[in-house]
Amino acid sequence: MENGHPITEGSKDQHSNAGETPSGHWLLRHSWLWLLMVSILLSLTVPFVLGGFKQFEELNRLTWWAAGLLTMLTLFSWVFNSLRTWLLMSALGQKIGFIEAALTTISAEFAGVATPSAVGMPATYTFLFHNLGLTLGEAIGLVGVIVLTDLTYFGTIMSLAALVQVLQGTGLDSLRLVEVILVVIVGGTLVLGVLILNFRRIYHLVSRQMGKTSWLAGHRYRLARGTVNFLKSVRTLRKMSWLQLIALYVITVGFWLPRYLLLYVILQLVGVNISFSYLLLVQGVLNLGGQVVPMPGGGGAVGAGYAAFLSPYLAREPLAFTLIVWRTYTFYWYLIVGGPIFLYKTGHAAHNLLSRKK
């Protein structure tokens, strides 16, 4: 890089390892557990603030067939996400079985909801992809492809939902939500387009400016590594045929839509019929909020946002009931069901990696 100081992965690792101590690891592990516990407590607090114990009187609405349908939608979402993992691994010439892809995907999704801002998801994907035979660079690039396909889904489906809301001539509050979504989508698309078309120029400009500021100069290796990861993900996509890319997009839609259908089904249990396009936009915003808030699963912020968007349509007790059922299948499910799979899969992968080094 500049000033005669090249930025390499080795120098980064030495720098990061120098500051790591046993006490630091202990604090990291325990602070993460405390954050997760606080996040769960906050998530449970919001429904109680809204409906108190009266929300449990609504539980008779959750019949066995309704619970089975919600469970099936969640499983369908996992199936499609696992298919995406299987397809991407196949595109890189790494043949794995569907069960292996499913265990990898479920483990990564658990790590996503169990860590602040979902930082554990890309780390778990990278670790498990590397264990399955990919190089570290290929694994990081594959994680980038997963992120890009998710962004493509949100850019298209959310835009379509926003267009439907505009054509329906909904209320002022809904139109404000549409405006926010469109600004985010259009702005994000423009930024991504400019970044891809002028990548090298922007990279060198940002790097030079960071080098002029003392407190930013030390972070230039992160910019360099992020640049490499971005290029690897783009190259991975370029290796895929048009048929594979179309299949990848369809599978990504199949992964997200069942998850977003959950709320529509849950609202039917309390006899409330809200436009599915509006619910798509609401869940898109709540999902983004869960990624931004530095608490596992979004903490109480997701519940508060849910209440803000849906309180015009629901009384307090049904609102609390639908919130706790929705969070059960979009948060607690991934902790309870995904946790044991995560421990099994990552433990097995760690054992394999240690065995190779001996």
Side-chain angles (χ1 to χ4, degrees):
M1 294 295 291
E2 300 170 10
N3 303 327
H5 297 288
I7 298 174
T8 63
E9 291 187 19
S11 62
K12 174 193 178 298
D13 293 338
Q14 292 173 4
H15 175 76
S16 60
N17 290 339
E20 291 178 356
T21 62
S23 60
H25 285 301
W26 186 90
L27 288 173
L28 179 62
R29 288 197 300 268
H30 284 71
S31 63
W32 165 74
L33 288 174
W34 276 110
L35 274 176
L36 180 59
M37 292 172 62
V38 170
S39 181
I40 294 173
L41 181 61
L42 289 174
S43 298
L44 292 172
T45 299
V46 175
F48 274 100
V49 170
L50 291 172
F53 288 99
K54 289 185 178 179
Q55 64 179 303
F56 294 109
E57 297 176 5
E58 303 281 339
L59 283 177
N60 61 336
R61 297 178 182 267
L62 187 62
T63 60
W64 285 107
W65 71 265
L69 177 58
L70 295 173
T71 301
M72 289 300 297
L73 287 172
T74 307
L75 292 176
F76 277 139
S77 177
W78 262 349
V79 167
F80 277 99
N81 204 12
S82 302
L83 280 174
R84 178 169 63 171
T85 299
W86 176 84
L87 176 63
L88 290 174
M89 290 290 286
S90 299
L92 290 179
Q94 194 70 36
K95 302 295 183 181
I96 62 172
F98 177 77
I99 298 299
E100 190 70 41
L103 294 176
T104 300
T105 303
I106 294 170
S107 298
E109 290 205 358
F110 163 81
V113 299
T115 53
S117 301
V119 295
M121 180 178 288
T124 301
Y125 265 132
T126 301
F127 173 63
L128 295 180
F129 286 155
H130 183 46
N131 177 68
L132 290 173
L134 298 182
T135 65
L136 192 57
E138 288 175 330
I140 294 173
L142 207 58
V143 175
V145 171
I146 292 173
V147 173
L148 286 175
T149 54
D150 284 338
L151 290 176
T152 302
Y153 160 79
F154 280 106
T156 53
I157 299 299
M158 293 295 124
S159 296
L160 181 60
L163 179 61
V164 171
Q165 285 294 107
V166 172
L167 294 177
Q168 287 179 343
T170 51
L172 183 60
D173 292 337
S174 297
L175 288 178
R176 286 175 178 170
L177 175 62
V178 169
E179 291 172 359
V180 173
I181 292 290
L182 288 177
V183 168
V184 172
I185 291 173
V186 174
T189 302
L190 290 175
V191 170
L192 185 60
V194 171
L195 181 62
I196 293 175
L197 294 174
N198 303 277
F199 190 78
R200 293 184 182 276
R201 186 180 302 174
I202 294 174
Y203 168 73
H204 288 299
L205 175 63
V206 173
S207 181
R208 284 195 298 270
Q209 295 303 317
M210 291 178 69
K212 295 177 182 178
T213 308
S214 59
W215 65 276
L216 285 177
H219 296 280
R220 283 191 298 168
Y221 72 86
R222 294 184 181 178
L223 175 64
R225 188 159 194 173
T227 299
V228 172
N229 296 343
F230 178 78
L231 291 175
K232 284 174 180 175
S233 62
V234 172
R235 288 169 186 163
T236 301
L237 284 173
R238 292 178 62 182
K239 291 179 182 178
M240 301 177 69
S241 66
W242 280 107
L243 186 60
Q244 286 178 315
L245 290 174
I246 293 173
L248 180 60
Y249 178 76
V250 172
I251 289 172
T252 303
V253 173
F255 155 54
W256 282 107
L257 279 184
R259 186 171 296 190
Y260 280 10
L261 276 169
L262 287 169
L263 182 54
Y264 182 80
V265 174
I266 292 169
L267 290 174
Q268 296 300 311
L269 297 178
V270 294
V272 174
N273 189 17
I274 302 176
S275 169
F276 183 59
S277 59
Y278 178 74
L279 295 180
L280 275 175
L281 295 175
V282 167
Q283 291 177 92
V285 172
L286 294 179
N287 183 66
L288 177 62
Q291 304 291 323
V292 174
V293 176
M295 292 288 289
V302 172
Y306 179 98
F309 285 123
L310 296 181
S311 57
Y313 305 94
L314 292 163
R316 292 176 66 92
E317 287 79 12
L319 180 64
F321 164 74
T322 58
L323 171 57
I324 200 166
V325 174
W326 180 68
R327 287 293 273 171
T328 295
Y329 284 94
T330 59
F331 180 47
Y332 310 123
W333 169 280
Y334 294 92
L335 293 176
I336 297 171
V337 180
I341 295 175
F342 170 84
L343 292 175
Y344 165 76
K345 185 60 182 170
T346 55
H348 183 67
H351 175 75
N352 289 343
L353 290 176
L354 290 174
S355 299
R356 293 175 192 170
K357 294 180 179 180
K358 290 181 180 180

